[in-house]
């Protein structure tokens, strides 16, 4: 049993990730006391109603008072403003981390606002659903998922080890890498797939007007899965693309080149090229299942609500 790792933890943002962290901390008893902050009054009201934290504050500065661990769980576009607000109120020796899907921009926007006597260790739990809001969280969200930490060159080793132990206690596997490497890896594994999903669904919506509802009516599993991805929080994903644009544009350029090759193969009836690509892609899917990141069950293991 791990026990309390941080006496007081502040969650800045109470959506899917923030609420899930609260639930798993409560279940595993990782924190002595949990405080929370959300910008929206209705979100704070819901958080209070479901007892998401011991204290729900109307300002981020109040929420971080005396906190040993501060986790930024807002959209990354708000990080700079939040960091400027909480910086003067952080406890000496506290650890500040985050859950954002980009890391170089976080280092750029957050670091300058933090005092030298706190530990700044950016992080990213690679987990989520298309749901959002304080009632969407659940304790199992991080189970057997990866959490990537991107310590800075001068990060305190003991503080990094403590945060790593925290995420392992939440059920995650932990990997460490540089912020720049993280952003390139996530651009291809997460950001580009979301961009493609948003675009395909938008294109289908345009075609929908022409085909008298037949696009939605006859949607097969492939399109349905794209709509699931495209249902993710638009504010969060807007900020992701604006703050990781170099890596996303680089991977998008490569994708566009590969898509042009497929277009030519279809136009000229090049079945060998299509077959070889599909075969290679199928092996990637099998590798993901073998690595424990997905299930081979029909419909990816997802079942309709009863």
């Amino acid at each position: 049993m791990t026990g309390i790792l941080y006496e007081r933890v502040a969650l800045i943002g109470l959506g899917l990730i923030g609420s899930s962290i609260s639930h798993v901390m409560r279940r595993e008893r990782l924190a002595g006391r949990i405080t929370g902050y959300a910008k929206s009054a209705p979100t704070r009201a819901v958080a209070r109603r479901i007892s998401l934290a011991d204290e729900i504050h109307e300002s981020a500065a109040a929420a971080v008072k005396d906190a040993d661990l501060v986790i930024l769980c807002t959209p990354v576009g708000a990080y700079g403003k939040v960091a400027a607000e909480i910086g003067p109120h952080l406890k000496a020796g506290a650890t500040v981390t985050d859950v954002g899907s980009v890391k170089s921009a976080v280092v750029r926007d957050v670091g300058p606002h933090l005092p030298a006597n706190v530990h700044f260790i950016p992080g990213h739990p690679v987990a989520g659903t298309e749901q959002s809001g304080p009632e969407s969280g659940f304790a199992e969200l991080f189970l057997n998922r990866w959490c990537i930490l991107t310590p800075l060159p001068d990060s305190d080793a003991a503080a990094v080890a403590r945060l790593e132990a925290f995420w392992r206690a939440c059920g995650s596997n932990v990997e460490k890498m540089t912020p720049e490497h993280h952003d390139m890896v996530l651009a291809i594994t997460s950001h580009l797939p979301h961009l493609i999903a948003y675009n395909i669904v938008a294109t289908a919506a345009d075609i929908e007007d022409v085909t008298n509802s037949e696009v939605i009516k006859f949607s097969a599993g492939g399109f349905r899965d794209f709509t699931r991805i495209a249902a993710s929080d638009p504010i969060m994903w807007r900020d992701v693309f604006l703050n990781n644009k170099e890596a996303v544009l680089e991977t998008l350029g490569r994708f566009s080149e590969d898509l042009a090759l497929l277009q030519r193969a279809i136009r000229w009836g090049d079945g060998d090229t299509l077959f070889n690509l599909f075969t290679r892609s199928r092996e990637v899917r099998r590798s993901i299942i073998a690595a424990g990141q997905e299930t081979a069950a029909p419909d990816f293991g997802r079942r309709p609500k009863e």
Side-chain angles (χ1 to χ4, degrees):
M1 183 174 179
T2 304
I4 292 176
L5 285 170
Y6 296 93
E7 185 57 42
R8 190 178 181 96
V9 177
L11 299 172
I12 308 303
L14 299 172
L16 169 67
I17 302 297
S19 60
S20 294
I21 294 173
S22 177
H23 288 308
V24 73
M25 283 196 296
R26 285 261 175 81
R27 187 188 67 186
E28 301 299 325
R29 300 180 181 178
L30 303 179
R33 192 164 185 82
I34 302 171
T35 63
Y37 160 76
K39 179 180 179 180
S40 161
T43 298
R44 293 195 299 271
V46 172
R48 290 190 181 102
R49 175 172 57 79
I50 64 177
S51 300
L52 201 54
D54 299 298
E55 305 167 19
I56 303 294
H57 294 275
E58 296 184 4
S59 74
V64 304
K65 187 178 187 310
D66 296 325
D68 301 291
L69 175 65
V70 176
I71 309 178
L72 305 182
C73 304
T74 67
V76 292
Y79 277 13
K81 183 177 180 181
V82 169
E85 179 184 348
I86 67 174
H89 305 279
L90 293 169
K91 172 183 176 180
T95 292
V96 177
T97 189
D98 76 298
V99 301
S101 184
V102 298
K103 295 274 74 77
S104 297
V106 170
V107 174
R108 178 197 69 203
D109 294 345
V110 175
H113 297 293
L114 303 183
N117 61 0
V118 305
H119 306 295
F120 176 39
I121 309 169
H124 175 208
V126 187
T129 73
E130 68 274 23
Q131 304 301 320
S132 59
E135 294 183 289
S136 61
F138 54 100
E140 298 78 17
L141 180 65
F142 312 108
L143 184 63
N144 296 324
R145 299 302 178 187
W146 286 98
C147 180
I148 301 173
L149 299 181
T150 61
L152 305 181
D154 59 350
S155 290
D156 179 77
V160 173
R162 189 180 183 188
L163 185 60
E164 183 174 349
F166 173 85
W167 280 111
R168 291 192 186 281
C170 290
S172 294
N173 303 308
V174 179
E175 182 82 21
K176 294 190 284 290
M177 60 183 67
T178 66
E180 296 76 16
H181 186 66
H182 166 279
D183 290 351
M184 183 56 69
V185 170
L186 268 294
I188 188 61
T189 61
S190 176
H191 304 167
L192 185 59
H194 276 80
L195 189 67
I196 293 168
Y198 280 118
N199 195 53
I200 286 177
V201 172
T203 300
D206 291 338
I207 296 174
E208 172 79 355
D209 294 334
V210 178
T211 59
N212 298 318
S213 301
E214 288 179 338
V215 169
I216 302 301
K217 180 178 179 180
F218 298 115
S219 292
F223 180 72
R224 183 195 59 218
D225 288 329
F226 275 120
T227 64
R228 181 184 62 82
I229 296 172
S232 300
D233 185 351
I235 295 175
M236 180 185 78
W237 282 101
R238 176 202 65 191
D239 288 358
V240 165
F241 290 119
L242 292 179
N243 286 280
N244 196 28
K245 58 184 175 183
E246 289 82 7
V248 169
L249 288 172
E250 183 173 336
T251 55
L252 184 59
R254 174 62 182 269
F255 175 80
S256 298
E257 293 171 1
D258 292 342
L259 192 60
L261 291 176
L262 279 176
Q263 186 178 21
R264 283 198 294 273
I266 294 170
R267 177 177 290 120
W268 298 108
D270 185 355
D272 289 342
T273 293
L274 295 174
F275 179 81
N276 291 336
L277 178 87
F278 298 159
T279 301
R280 185 161 53 112
S281 300
R282 189 182 190 187
E283 290 305 314
V284 172
R285 169 68 186 170
R286 289 172 173 170
S287 298
I288 290 173
I289 294 172
Q293 295 300 299
E294 184 59 279
T295 172
D299 196 26
F300 299 162
R302 292 189 294 274
R303 292 175 295 182
K305 292 181 180 179
E306 295 180 358

